Amino acid sequence: MNIAVIGTGYVGLVSGVCFSEIGNQVICVDNNESKVEMLNEGIVPIYEPGLKELMSSNMQAGKLSFTSNIGEAIHQSDIIFIAVGTPSLPNGEANLSYVEQVAVEIGTHLESYKIIVTKSTVPVGTNDRIRDLIRSISSQPFDVASVPEFLREGSAIKDTLNPDRIVIGTSSERAIQTLKKLHRPLTNNLVITDIRSAEMIKYASNAFLATKISFINEISNICEKVGADVTRVAEGMGYDKRIGSAFLKAGIGYGGSCFPKDTQALIQIAGMVDYDFRLLKSVVEVNQDQRMQVIHKLEEAVGSLTGKTIAVWGLAFKPDTDDVRDAPAIDIVQHLVDSGAYVKAYDPIATENFRKEIDMASISWQDTPLHAAQGADALCVLTEWKEFAQVDLHVLAQMMKEPVMIDGRNVYSAEQIQMSAFQYYSVGRPGLTKLEGKAQAII
């Protein structure tokens, strides 16, 4: 099939590359000409494992191209995917200006029947708005559909090519049959529904997963007070098929481009129909508070942060991505700086993006984990990169001024900690807490 993907952000680029990988002719569109030029040279502007290789192979095969000419892309395609950003407005609502701008462009260039599919995460009713905008401009036939994405950064290629399900929301039988044919190489688990339900499925899914994360973080805080181990609690819960093990890993909260934005948007959607979504408001509040648990433990360990040198490992909101959008590290590092601490920060790939958010004289950017830890009064582990688990804790402790570690992601095992000299604090594992080099309890 001939496909246009408008928007080469995370969702658009991954979707376009994967559609070409399963045999379609894909043209990706972006109004940023320098970005298009970069993509046509084979340079990927985001970090995602496997994406560069897949993009290059499909470009070489002639199945994938990039352009800033939206009219040309619309003319050449049978299916048009809208995959532009819907960032949060100050009040938490989704900003639909980019989606509406694309709808106007499509209406302007429409010259024959097309299926217009929204990949962007949009509030319920947005696709009706897209349909009305295009109809106000063009008399050409078209159908509108919602096919939300469910990608996880760091495993987006795998998630796209091996999805749990594909949700197709439309009232057109013609569009249903075409979109079934397009997606069937990916999975037979196709959920056909109306447009508004498809829009809601995306928000409801992300809100539920965010709720699981905040729930297990609340359980971890209780575990610390009663002497239970949250990792064992989560394991025991996860075997229950009604619950499942996914998203039950305690830590310092969620971040990224989806959960923070989508939870706030759903709260606003509920408010617009005069419904107070109290549960989801609590989920957001718990997530924000969880970040500060790192600071509380750090202050317990070293006292006043003024003048202290704090090493920070991990700046991305999760491993295997350079995305720092709403990363817990932003709030934590900002608090450290505001408290008068000096920060030595390291991340394998996200440092450049993080510096666009925070870059102050009291922060130094290091090129290895050990350089960051050299001479530090304490170390905070904020992202669970695999390389951190492989560091020799004996060597690490010797390099630091004081062997104090706040492990915000439970990177280290009981065996590693018991054999180390670290004063150690984790999340929801009080039996592993070590003060002044002596274990409080042995698990």
Side-chain angles (χ1 to χ4, degrees):
M1 295 185 185
N2 296 316
I3 296 172
V5 179
I6 302 175
T8 60
Y10 204 94
V11 172
L13 184 56
V14 172
S15 298
V17 169
C18 289
F19 278 134
S20 66
E21 174 68 11
I22 61 174
N24 299 288
Q25 192 70 35
V26 180
I27 182 166
C28 295
V29 186
D30 203 289
N31 58 9
N32 185 331
E33 293 189 5
S34 61
K35 186 177 184 182
V36 169
E37 182 178 343
M38 182 171 63
L39 287 164
N40 277 320
E41 291 174 356
I43 302 171
V44 181
I46 59 174
Y47 178 83
E48 177 63 35
L51 181 59
K52 179 178 175 61
E53 295 77 10
L54 217 57
M55 188 178 94
S56 297
S57 65
N58 283 287
M59 288 176 68
Q60 291 172 6
K63 296 186 292 180
L64 177 66
S65 62
F66 301 91
T67 184
S68 58
N69 189 330
I70 190 170
E72 173 189 344
I74 292 170
H75 176 72
Q76 294 178 6
S77 303
D78 304 310
I79 306 173
I80 303 164
F81 282 90
I82 300 175
V84 295
T86 54
S88 294
L89 292 168
N91 66 353
E93 291 181 37
N95 183 348
L96 297 178
S97 61
Y98 303 115
V99 171
E100 292 175 349
Q101 181 182 344
V102 169
V104 170
E105 291 272 13
I106 292 172
T108 302
H109 294 285
L110 208 60
E111 83 300 328
S112 62
Y113 174 80
K114 310 286 182 182
I115 299 174
I116 300 155
V117 183
T118 305
K119 269 280 183 199
S120 304
T121 301
V122 294
V124 178
T126 300
N127 280 280
D128 292 340
R129 170 68 174 155
I130 291 171
R131 180 199 60 215
D132 294 344
L133 276 172
I134 297 173
R135 279 182 181 171
S136 70
I137 298 169
S138 176
S139 60
Q140 294 292 332
F142 67 93
D143 283 315
V144 171
S146 172
V147 180
E149 55 82 20
F150 300 96
L151 309 181
R152 296 170 298 170
E153 295 186 40
S155 60
I157 299 296
K158 177 183 176 183
D159 291 346
T160 303
L161 295 177
N162 301 279
D164 294 328
R165 81 291 199 194
I166 298 290
V167 175
I168 299 172
T170 183
S171 59
S172 164
E173 186 60 31
R174 181 178 181 182
I176 288 172
Q177 294 308 317
T178 302
L179 293 173
K180 276 185 173 181
K181 183 178 179 181
L182 173 64
H183 290 98
R184 195 163 280 123
L186 302 175
T187 180
N188 288 320
N189 194 9
L190 304 176
V191 180
I192 310 301
T193 185
D194 60 280
I195 287 184
R196 290 188 172 227
S197 293
E199 292 168 332
M200 192 63 178
I201 286 169
K202 169 64 176 181
Y203 279 111
S205 297
N206 279 355
F208 184 77
L209 296 175
T211 300
K212 287 187 74 173
I213 294 171
S214 285
F215 178 83
I216 199 62
N217 282 334
E218 287 280 72
I219 293 297
S220 75
N221 295 333
I222 298 173
C223 284
E224 291 184 1
K225 295 181 180 297
V226 302
D229 183 342
V230 72
T231 60
R232 304 306 301 272
V233 173
E235 179 186 5
M237 293 170 59
Y239 283 115
D240 189 324
K241 294 179 181 179
R242 299 169 300 173
I243 298 173
S245 61
F247 293 87
L248 283 182
K249 186 174 182 181
I252 55 175
Y254 58 76
S257 63
C258 291
F259 288 0
K261 175 175 68 72
D262 292 353
T263 50
Q264 290 288 358
L266 186 51
I267 289 169
Q268 291 298 317
I269 291 168
M272 289 177 182
V273 293
D274 198 27
Y275 185 80
D276 184 10
F277 203 155
R278 291 171 294 173
L279 174 61
L280 197 55
K281 287 180 179 178
S282 295
V283 166
V284 173
E285 182 180 355
V286 167
N287 187 66
Q288 195 63 33
D289 290 346
Q290 192 68 13
R291 301 176 178 198
M292 289 301 103
Q293 293 296 320
V294 171
I295 299 299
H296 299 329
K297 291 172 182 176
L298 186 59
E299 290 174 336
E300 178 184 338
V302 304
S304 172
L305 297 175
T306 303
K308 296 292 198 306
T309 297
I310 309 300
V312 171
W313 284 4
L315 302 171
F317 85 94
K318 63 179 289 189
D320 294 323
T321 180
D322 60 353
D323 196 344
V324 301
R325 284 175 289 183
D326 207 44
I330 293 176
D331 289 343
I332 294 167
V333 170
Q334 185 66 61
H335 187 92
L336 291 173
V337 170
D338 292 344
S339 299
Y342 299 98
V343 176
K344 298 177 70 178
Y346 169 77
D347 189 282
I349 60 172
T351 300
E352 182 179 349
N353 286 342
F354 194 87
R355 293 186 69 172
K356 296 174 185 176
E357 302 292 329
I358 303 177
D359 196 358
M360 301 177 183
S362 55
I363 306 174
S364 63
W365 310 99
Q366 306 298 315
D367 56 2
T368 72
L370 292 181
H371 284 165
Q374 180 76 47
D377 293 288
L379 165 65
C380 296
V381 181
L382 305 184
T383 312
E384 61 272 38
W385 287 98
K386 289 180 181 178
E387 66 178 275
F388 298 159
Q390 298 167 358
V391 171
D392 186 322
L393 294 187
H394 178 70
V395 173
L396 177 63
Q398 289 184 324
M399 296 187 68
M400 296 177 64
K401 182 178 179 181
E402 298 291 341
V404 176
M405 182 191 297
I406 316 298
D407 183 357
R409 298 295 187 180
N410 291 343
V411 169
Y412 298 98
S413 67
E415 292 74 20
Q416 288 174 295
I417 296 307
Q418 288 164 6
M419 295 177 63
S420 79
F422 272 97
Q423 182 175 336
Y424 180 81
Y425 300 79
S426 59
V427 179
R429 300 187 297 170
L432 286 184
T433 301
K434 293 176 66 179
L435 302 176
E436 299 178 357
K438 296 180 180 179
Q440 285 186 317
I442 300 297
I443 294 178

